[in-house]
Amino acid sequence: MHGLMQYHPLLISGLIEHAAREHGDIEIVSRTVEGPIHRTTWAGIAARSAQVANVLARLGVGPGERVATLAWNGYRHLELLFGVSGAGVVLHTVNPRLFPEQIEYIIDHAANRYVFFDLTFAGLVASLAPKLPSVRGYVALCRREDLPQTATPIPNLLCYEDLVAAEATRCAWPPLDERTASSLCYTSGTTGNPKGVLYTHRSTVLHAMAACTVDGMGLSALHSLLLATPMFHVNGWGAPYAAAMCGAKLVLPGAQLDGASTYQLLKDEAVTMTLGVPTIWLALTGYVNARGLDPQRDLKLRRVLIGGSAAPAAQVEEFERKFDARVIHAWGMTETSPLGTTCTPKATHRNDSLEERVALQAKQGRPPYGVELKIAGEDGAGLARDGRSSGHLLIRGHWVASAYFGGNGSPLLDPDGYFDTGDIANLDHEGYLRITDRSKDVIKSGGEWISSIDIENIAMGHPAIAMAACIGMKHPKWDERPIIAVVKKPGTELSRDELIAFYEGKT
Ligand code: AMP
């Protein structure tokens, strides 16, 4: 017997309508590629998202077709995020940092109809256009007076602000099936061509709900969120949808992610929470240290979500000590929307000291409701949750991919519906995940696996080291041994022997 509760499809248009209705006055602040800071609100974004949907209809882009963006985090990109998907069209956020040949490959593979681009990418678009037969036109995200003049003219060049201005600020959002495709991100993966992960409205909304839970990302209406993760990296880790859901203020940094620019935005916009990869935070802390700044006096930052690669312990500690901010280490991937785990404390950690908090954040955390993890040995059998038994990390859940877009049909999931992440990890008795390696990077030494991440993290703990990379080298006796390559901080001295001595007692 079915229950008697209402059924409404989970749709991205519902998120932006909710944002306009319930927290329409909350600000969206963008550093534009043209230079100035731009201010709007969730109500403003909602109105312009409706205009975007109307633009697509006028351009003849139909349901299920794909349009691409080559853009930084800014209000226009945010409008496209809601307007394109809301209209039943698929938003393909292209990573402009890929090689031009890869960008050509994925725009062609996705058969994109239009490419919306920031002025920064005008040259790239002009050079790629002759090789992109599926694209009918290119929309510059700017006003008419700022339209780009490239050496080779961009064919069928349109002006975003002109297109938007011609449309009504309301639209009839289509009542889509919640499993309709909403957005598309390609992941470079380990081998072969990039692969497309095709999200659904349902997976996106459920993921946003998880992000808004206290132990998910902990995003709420109390936060001013600096989105340092680009929207072309797994839709900005899904945070824009989550912010629309809970009514957080969004701060979008555009193309400038250097330490000085980030610090300025954190300060001016009273940012309380931010998320991004460790490299961004290295730039920020480097700037703070070089200038002798006092973040506790200048900033309101309390929560820093770090993911994309392992958060170095030294970085976690620096945020605690210098910023009085809690780091939440997170793990995920393009195929998992990306939220797989967040390292939020359980009650057993309530009274943890600073040292214990830093030690806990060496782990990638635990899964929210909605995804399940499994660690499998070489024979596929599940391994013990003892914090030591490392194996292949498998995941399944509401926002995990089931196949690649336009893939060759080979099954992506095992018979139980799990996706093999390609990561090597263990789980402890409390369910905290610890990633020890990518399966392709793992160093097999004398029959044991050595974690390249651990070796890198120890080096990163040395005060003279800015960056570290560990790789396996063939060895006649041990099969493989780890070697570490490091970049020293400017003005520091460190010899090979001093670094090796630093490892004493730490492995
Ligand atoms: P991508 O699909 O480009 O986001 O890459 C996903 C991969 O990044 C994962 O499979 C991991 O290998 C790595 N990764 C993401 N977050 C972390 C983390 N917190 N610690 C270690 N590796 C991570």
Side-chain angles (χ1 to χ4, degrees):
M1 182 169 75
H2 279 161
L4 293 173
M5 303 309 283
Q6 298 183 7
Y7 172 77
H8 298 281
L10 302 171
L11 298 178
I12 288 172
S13 54
L15 284 180
I16 193 64
E17 291 274 290
H18 170 79
R21 200 170 46 237
E22 303 304 332
H23 26 259
D25 58 333
I26 299 299
E27 264 194 315
I28 311 294
V29 181
S30 312
R31 192 195 292 281
T32 60
V33 290
E34 295 94 325
I37 296 287
H38 174 278
R39 290 179 188 277
T40 181
T41 58
W42 277 115
I45 296 290
R48 301 230 323 165
S49 303
Q51 288 172 295
V52 165
N54 293 332
V55 166
L56 293 174
R58 192 172 300 271
L59 292 174
V61 182
E65 291 197 294
R66 275 81 57 199
V67 300
T69 57
L70 273 167
W72 302 109
N73 286 357
Y75 65 102
R76 293 182 180 117
H77 207 177
L78 192 65
E79 294 156 12
L80 289 162
L81 204 77
F82 291 101
V84 172
S85 304
V89 175
V90 179
L91 183 79
H92 174 198
T93 49
V94 180
N95 181 352
R97 296 189 183 126
L98 295 175
F99 293 115
E101 308 80 63
Q102 288 178 311
I103 296 179
E104 180 190 329
Y105 171 85
I106 64 175
I107 291 182
D108 186 57
H109 187 263
N112 293 141
R113 291 287 176 237
Y114 285 86
V115 178
F116 293 75
F117 66 96
D118 267 338
L119 295 177
T120 334
F121 305 115
L124 177 68
V125 168
S127 66
L128 287 178
K131 302 175 207 155
L132 301 173
S134 66
V135 179
R136 292 193 204 127
Y138 297 86
V139 184
L141 293 168
C142 64
R143 298 170 305 174
R144 174 148 295 275
E145 54 267 43
D146 297 325
L147 274 179
Q149 308 279 338
T150 43
T152 329
I154 297 172
N156 302 323
L157 178 64
L158 298 166
C159 167
Y160 182 76
E161 288 300 333
D162 282 1
L163 289 174
V164 166
E167 301 300 333
T169 55
R170 305 248 0 124
C171 75
W173 296 111
L176 306 167
D177 180 311
E178 64 181 11
R179 286 167 302 175
T180 302
S182 56
S183 65
L184 177 64
C185 285
Y186 280 73
T187 169
S188 25
T190 47
T191 51
N193 283 320
K195 299 174 185 71
V197 179
L198 190 59
Y199 308 97
T200 65
H201 284 258
R202 174 187 157 82
S203 71
T204 305
V205 173
L206 290 175
H207 181 271
M209 282 187 173
C212 290
T213 58
V214 176
D215 286 337
M217 288 187 186
L219 192 60
S220 84
L222 294 175
H223 280 300
S224 166
L225 176 76
L226 174 78
L227 188 65
T229 300
M231 292 191 215
F232 53 76
H233 190 201
V234 210
N235 299 314
W237 296 353
Y241 307 109
M245 182 175 277
C246 69
K249 169 179 169 180
L250 258 189
V251 183
L252 304 170
Q256 284 162 259
L257 289 165
D258 58 284
S261 306
T262 305
Y263 197 81
Q264 190 72 42
L265 275 183
L266 291 174
K267 189 173 169 191
D268 293 351
E269 301 307 327
V271 169
T272 54
M273 175 170 168
T274 183
L275 43 84
V277 294
T279 329
I280 302 285
W281 311 128
L282 276 180
L284 176 69
T285 50
Y287 172 76
V288 166
N289 293 335
R291 294 292 172 105
L293 298 171
D294 180 358
Q296 291 199 30
R297 191 197 58 209
D298 294 344
L299 309 181
K300 300 213 160 32
L301 189 63
R302 290 294 165 267
R303 199 174 170 88
V304 183
L305 198 97
I306 304 183
S309 61
Q315 196 165 71
V316 177
E317 193 168 339
E318 193 154 23
F319 272 120
E320 286 266 1
R321 284 193 195 281
K322 274 221 173 88
F323 290 69
D324 193 22
R326 300 282 167 279
V327 166
I328 310 293
H329 194 183
W331 168 88
M333 53 198 311
T334 310
E335 288 89 337
T336 66
S337 294
L339 191 55
T341 62
T342 45
C343 197
T344 48
K346 286 187 165 183
T348 41
H349 298 283
R350 186 179 283 134
N351 300 318
D352 274 3
S353 64
L354 171 62
E355 285 67 32
E356 287 164 331
R357 284 208 299 276
V358 172
L360 184 67
Q361 293 305 325
K363 302 190 178 190
Q364 276 73 5
R366 51 203 180 85
Y369 167 77
V371 289
E372 291 171 72
L373 305 179
K374 187 164 105 179
I375 306 290
E378 290 303 321
D379 58 358
L383 298 181
R385 290 184 169 217
D386 57 7
R388 285 193 315 275
S389 307
S390 288
H392 300 274
L393 173 62
L394 311 180
I395 185 168
R396 69 178 177 190
H398 298 302
W399 48 88
V400 179
S402 62
Y404 290 115
F405 174 63
N408 57 13
S410 56
L412 197 58
L413 310 181
D414 76 6
D416 296 325
Y418 280 94
F419 167 74
D420 185 341
T421 64
D423 286 333
I424 303 296
N426 58 56
L427 288 169
D428 68 16
H429 69 283
E430 287 190 299
Y432 284 92
L433 174 78
R434 184 173 164 83
I435 304 276
T436 52
D437 249 309
R438 292 288 297 162
S439 53
K440 69 175 175 44
D441 294 341
V442 88
I443 300 166
K444 291 192 179 127
S445 181
E448 271 183 37
W449 284 357
I450 294 180
S451 163
S452 61
I453 294 181
D454 283 353
I455 308 256
E456 285 164 5
N457 260 333
I458 293 172
M460 293 291 288
H462 193 288
I465 289 180
M467 275 185 262
C470 173
I471 49 174
M473 202 178 68
K474 280 265 162 275
H475 190 280
K477 176 173 172 197
W478 297 102
D479 189 16
E480 278 186 332
R481 293 299 284 164
I483 59 169
I484 182 100
V486 299
V487 178
K488 285 183 282 191
K489 287 185 185 159
T492 59
E493 282 305 323
L494 178 71
S495 71
R496 175 183 175 279
D497 291 343
E498 281 166 338
L499 178 57
I500 290 176
F502 186 67
Y503 276 89
E504 284 299 321
K506 294 202 174 70
T507 46

